């Protein structure tokens, strides 16, 4: 019997390593204070709470257990409990909400990094997902073209995908860091960044289904579809030479290249004050490569 009990215990320990887990993390003091209204939430100090979370993550990693960290939002949690008819002041309810986050919410995998590195990555993922959901909703609201009946949002996303491909394909070799900004309503500017590494053969590595690429393409698509002011900037870093910076402005349903002088002015002018900023060393401000066959043919365009 003792041998059987020991065997069962060993097997359960092995099985625990096969179970992936998710931890809902309260990243800032404000959200932490909001959760303290629940008696079953027994933490009193946010710093101590973060230390305990980090210790738990390290312990699970040492046991060979995979853990995903999710952004826990107290307001979303309260709404979730109301809709599901759950008692919000119960650990089981928090566990159910965290399980939902693992499927639909912003998450990052724990890979041994410190919380100082993990927290910004988690917040960036939350912003990325929110931007993607917001732009997708705006694109969906555009409806169909009155002239040809095509879905305007889907057409703009297809167009943005092609433009992004052409920008990457025509760029000089190197790792590419792209930023797209689109101005909408007063004081509202959407900004998305995308880092594209280079394969060993020099071609850009881009998975268009990844969250970063989807968010970036949706922001570009929204600018194209709504003819909003905006631009795209690409910084190329290659070993043994200066970084190269190229830029385009959104114009109609296309990207219009900036001259080298315009790229320089854009990078060396303070957005808030309009004052000049010293240019970076070892950086070339350049006109972008010709996008070639991506020019639109004559006729109807959205």
């Amino acid at each position: 019997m003792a041998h059987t009990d020991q065997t069962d215990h060993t097997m359960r320990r092995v099985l625990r390593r096969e179970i992936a887990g998710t931890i809902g993390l309260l990243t800032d003091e404000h959200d932490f204070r909001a959760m303290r209204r629940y008696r079953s939430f027994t933490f009193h100090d946010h710093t101590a709470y973060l230390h305990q979370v980090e210790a738990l993550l390290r312990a699970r990693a040492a046991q060979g257990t995979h853990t995903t960290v999710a952004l826990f939002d107290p307001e979303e949690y309260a709404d979730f409990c109301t809709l599901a008819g759950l008692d919000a002041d119960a650990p089981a309810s928090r566990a159910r909400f965290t399980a939902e986050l693992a499927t639909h919410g912003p998450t990052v995998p724990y890979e041994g990094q410190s919380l100082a590195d993990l927290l910004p990555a988690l917040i960036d993922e939350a912003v990325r997902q929110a931007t993607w959901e917001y732009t997708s909703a705006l694109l969906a609201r555009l409806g169909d073209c009155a002239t040809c009946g095509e879905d305007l949002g889907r057409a703009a996303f297809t167009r943005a995908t092609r433009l992004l491909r052409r920008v990457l394909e025509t760029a000089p070799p190197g790792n590419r860091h792209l930023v797209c900004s689109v101005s909408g309503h007063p004081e509202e500017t959407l900004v998305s960044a995308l880092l594209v590494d280079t394969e060993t053969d020099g071609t850009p590595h881009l998975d268009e289904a990844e969250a970063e690429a989807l968010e970036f393409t949706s922001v570009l698509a929204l600018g194209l579809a709504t003819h909003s002011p905006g631009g795209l900037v690409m910084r190329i870093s290659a070993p043994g030479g200066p970084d190269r910076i190229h830029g385009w402005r959104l114009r109609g349903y296309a990207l219009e290249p900036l001259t080298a002088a315009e790229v320089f002015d854009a990078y060396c002018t303070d957005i808030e004050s309009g004052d000049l900023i010293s240019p970076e060393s070892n950086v070339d401000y350049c006109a972008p490569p010709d996008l070639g066959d991506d020019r639109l043919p004559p006729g109807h365009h959205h």
Side-chain angles (χ1 to χ4, degrees):
M1 178 68 75
H3 174 72
T4 301
D5 290 343
Q6 180 63 34
T7 301
D8 290 344
H9 177 75
T10 301
M11 293 179 65
R12 284 194 296 269
R13 187 171 65 248
V14 172
L15 282 173
R16 276 197 291 270
R17 296 174 186 167
E18 305 291 328
I19 300 173
T22 303
I23 294 176
L25 183 62
L26 298 160
T27 59
D28 60 51
E29 185 74 37
H30 178 268
D31 288 346
F32 181 82
R33 286 199 302 269
M35 290 302 295
R36 289 196 59 199
R37 69 177 181 264
Y38 301 119
R39 293 180 60 186
S40 61
F41 186 80
T42 56
F43 292 95
H44 302 288
D45 178 79
H46 187 233
T47 301
Y49 159 81
L50 292 177
H51 286 324
Q52 291 297 323
V53 169
E54 187 163 23
L56 176 60
L57 289 171
R58 288 176 176 169
R60 287 176 59 84
Q63 295 168 0
T65 304
H66 175 77
T67 309
T68 298
V69 182
L71 186 67
F72 195 104
D73 185 296
E75 292 185 10
E76 291 182 4
Y77 170 65
D79 292 341
F80 170 82
C81 290
T82 299
L83 290 173
L86 299 174
D87 177 11
D89 195 0
S93 300
R94 291 195 289 275
R96 279 188 59 176
F97 178 65
T98 301
E100 289 288 324
L101 291 177
T103 305
H104 305 292
T107 62
V108 295
Y110 178 69
E111 298 173 330
Q113 68 270 50
S114 68
L115 276 190
D117 293 328
L118 188 147
L119 288 177
L122 182 57
I123 293 170
D124 285 348
E125 182 62 27
V127 171
R128 184 179 298 115
Q129 180 168 319
T131 302
W132 158 243
E133 292 174 352
Y134 177 67
T135 52
S136 296
L138 291 180
L139 288 169
R141 281 188 219 156
L142 295 175
D144 298 334
C145 176
T147 302
C148 67
E150 187 174 11
D151 184 300
L152 291 171
R154 186 177 296 114
F157 193 87
T158 301
R159 172 69 177 156
T161 300
R162 176 164 176 77
L163 282 171
L164 177 58
R165 287 178 190 158
R166 291 300 300 157
V167 165
L168 295 174
E169 290 168 357
T170 58
N175 293 332
R176 301 148 173 92
H177 182 249
L178 298 94
V179 177
C180 181
S181 60
V182 172
S183 299
H185 300 293
E187 300 183 1
E188 178 189 64
T189 299
L190 294 173
V191 179
S192 179
L194 179 65
L195 182 61
V196 180
D197 296 328
T198 302
E199 301 281 13
T200 54
D201 61 358
T203 59
H205 171 72
L206 176 67
D207 184 348
E208 294 173 356
E210 286 186 349
E212 295 88 345
L214 287 172
E215 180 218 10
F216 188 92
T217 308
S218 68
V219 170
L220 177 57
L222 185 64
L224 295 172
T226 58
H227 301 280
S228 300
L232 190 155
V233 174
M234 176 172 59
R235 183 174 188 138
I236 303 169
S237 302
D243 284 5
R244 296 169 57 93
I245 297 177
H246 305 289
W248 296 260
R249 66 171 58 88
L250 273 62
R251 181 63 59 86
Y253 213 52
L255 293 174
E256 180 180 275
L258 299 178
T259 65
E262 288 173 323
V263 175
F264 179 89
D265 289 342
Y267 253 79
C268 301
T269 303
D270 185 271
I271 297 176
E272 300 291 335
S273 65
D275 296 335
L276 292 177
I277 303 171
S278 298
E280 294 183 62
S281 60
N282 203 36
V283 170
D284 288 342
Y285 303 90
C286 314
D290 187 353
L291 297 184
D293 64 358
D294 196 74
R295 289 171 180 163
L296 288 166
H300 169 67
H301 303 297
H302 302 118

